[in-house]
Amino acid sequence: MSIKKIACFVLSAAMLTILSSCKTTNETDAGNSDKTKKFSVCLTSMGVEPTEDNKILKKIKDELGYEFEFEYMISGHEEERTGVMISRREYPDIIQISDETLIQAGALVPLDEYISKEKTPNLYEYFEPIAKKARYEGDGHIYSFPNYGRPTYGGDDSAEYYGPAFWIQKRVLEDAGYPEIKTLDQYFALIEDYKSRHPETNGVSTIGFEILAATGYEWVLTTPPNYLAGNPNDGDVVVDKNTYEAKIYADSDFSKRYFQKLNEEYDKGIIDVECFIQNKDQYLSKISTGRVLGMFDQHWVFQNAEVYLSSKQMHAYEYVPLALTYDESIEPWYRVDAQLNINQGFAISKNCEDSEEVIQMFETFMSEKWQKILSWGIEGEDYMVDENGRFYRTEEQRNEQRDQIWSAKNKIDVFYSAMPKREGRFSDGNGTSVSFQPEEYEATLSDYDKNFLKNYGKDNWVQFVNEKRPDPVYFPAWNIELEDGSEASYANQKMTDLARRYLPKVISSDTFEQTWQEYCDELRKINIAAYEDKINEQIQWRIKNWQ
């Protein structure tokens, strides 16, 4: 899975130019008479772009003396942009990476050489429980600040669920009398019934089930059978719980069962006929209209489309996560402990003239003071503190948080989301964000949502999926990196390409059995063994080195 968020802005051509390396300027302002350090930053996370007069960026400049020039990679073109950087050896100072490409290119500075308990206590504390996993297997160095997945600080009171699920609109469940839906057949029966009685939504045709099959999101199409069979997210493989042996499941009987079900639903007109030719923006656009009843996805992918629905008070058109299985005897395994984004997050390029200053900047950002500013905002403006020291927001402040124009001027979430961060609780007991502050999260719920949760006897959306189960020591296999140009990497790409090309045919085919067999035959022409061997090798390496 990727950590990339949803784009809400249009990029100008000027933003795609390669930015210069670290620069020191002589600009001064009323709050900072010293020289200002300016860093160029390349982001792959997407969200609301901060304005030039953004108050948090101004506070950082005034109090810390840092300025930034941001470049935003266009979604779907990250690989191309990275290739240009490498070929020209022109890198921004700070780069948000999502794989090992820039590490292998020798473009990054090892971070562990700068981090110590004495000089960088905040970063040291951050890395201490994840150091074994964060190190690049090639040379043992740490090259990035993972932005998500570190064990929580002080406990986990999270109320939002961002992981994989079969999502369904609240209005569908409400209409059916708030039923417990546990299996795939129950899920589609509910959608079929609702769509038959509500063929239109706000003047446009209702879509029963949507699929994101765009390049880079093939896993939305390929991984659901794994969950339905009761397995955790190990990407393209199932790992035996006793022997730890990994095998692909693309042509398994339980995969066939899922795609046969989709084939039946496609024939019934439940699945969007445009799903295989649309891009991600079109997919999100359909969700934001409220016409999509359900889909399999991870919440972070479509979250901003749902935020749009919330901003329009269309709460009945928002979604609930369901941890479905093929039958009720199977224990679901969707929700897991936070998984570290290995070789993802911010890295420092070798072109940066002052790596140590960047380290100190992130050390400061990891302090509780600045984490509160980056997450909650400015006390008295963006949040309040009650007589017991608990953070809360007024209704006006909550409404501001939903306004993207306001957010562009008052928050830097697109930058903050890519940073290393504290998740859990601060030392004063407050949650590190609203989603970790139970009473404030409850206060942000609409009356509709409060009534909805009451009817299910639940407090939040996390409770709709399974309880966490202990993760295997190697877990997860999906973030095992494959060396570019290797037989394993080539086989993996061939599997992905074949799935993208054939599974739409399988789902829409009038001759399912024949088309499915053709897909399986083509799959077995690929050197699957090279891929499985590499995954198994790395699983054994992790078992040896991560304990």
Side-chain angles (χ1 to χ4, degrees), residues 48-62:
V48 179
E49 178 185 354
T51 57
E52 290 186 4
D53 62 345
N54 180 280
K55 75 177 183 185
I56 302 299
L57 290 179
K58 184 177 186 302
K59 188 175 184 66
I60 291 171
K61 179 182 177 182
D62 290 349

Side-chain angles (χ1 to χ4, degrees), residues 61 138 163-164 168 198 237 261 310 320 329 331 367 416 473 528 539:
K61 179 182 177 182
I168 192 164
H198 302 85
V237 297
K261 183 65 175 179
S310 179
V320 174
S329 66
E331 185 178 0
S367 68
Y416 173 62
V473 64
I528 300 296
I539 286 175

Side-chain angles (χ1 to χ4, degrees), residues 254-296:
F254 65 80
S255 284
K256 179 180 179 180
R257 183 174 178 177
Y258 177 66
F259 291 107
Q260 189 161 21
K261 183 65 175 179
L262 292 190
N263 178 268
E264 295 168 1
E265 297 301 327
Y266 188 92
D267 189 55
K268 294 176 183 178
I270 298 301
I271 295 176
D272 181 16
V273 295
E274 298 177 341
C275 64
F276 303 123
I277 59 173
Q278 67 188 356
N279 59 32
K280 188 178 76 169
D281 288 342
Q282 292 168 323
Y283 167 81
L284 297 175
S285 177
K286 288 177 181 177
I287 292 174
S288 67
T289 65
R291 61 189 291 215
V292 176
L293 302 183
M295 63 278 182
F296 173 88

Side-chain angles (χ1 to χ4, degrees), residues 469-488:
R469 294 157 66 180
D471 296 332
V473 64
Y474 72 85
F475 189 79
W478 63 258
N479 62 10
I480 290 175
E481 290 280 354
L482 304 175
E483 185 178 352
D484 287 346
S486 67
E487 283 296 318

